[in-house]
Amino acid sequence: TENLVDALRTVTGVDICCLIQQEAEATRFSLRARSPAFPVAGIARALGGGGHALAAGARHPKISDEEAGLRLIEQAGKVLEA
């Protein structure tokens, strides 16, 4: 699955991608960026995780896919607009 999120960032026009995975007791976010101009570490930190500018991730207590998507969009907006 890490290969999938890495492959997504090679798609033309994609600056940031995230794979959201449901685990038994957590929701996992794997974030990747094409360039340091779009650092994903801040998004991961806002979701309770961490990482590097181009690759980061977080594990959140289990939430629905819909809620995970909403939190991701909210945090990405806050971090990238700052």
Side-chain angles (χ1 to χ4, degrees):
T1 57
E2 292 302 314
N3 291 337
L4 174 60
V5 74
D6 285 331
L8 290 173
R9 82 170 141 186
T10 67
V11 175
T12 302
V14 172
D15 293 314
I16 295 175
C17 58
C18 179
L19 180 64
I20 299 172
Q21 296 174 284
Q22 294 295 345
E23 298 178 339
E25 296 186 21
T27 301
R28 183 175 166 204
F29 298 83
S30 296
L31 298 118
R32 300 293 184 274
R34 181 184 294 267
S35 113
F38 301 98
V40 292
I43 300 168
R45 279 193 298 276
L47 294 168
H52 304 279
L54 300 178
R59 272 199 169 83
H60 192 282
K62 187 110 173 138
I63 53 177
S64 70
D65 289 337
E66 181 179 358
E67 181 65 22
L70 292 173
R71 289 188 189 196
L72 173 66
I73 291 167
E74 176 186 13
Q75 296 307 324
K78 288 179 182 178
V79 169
L80 297 175
E81 290 175 4

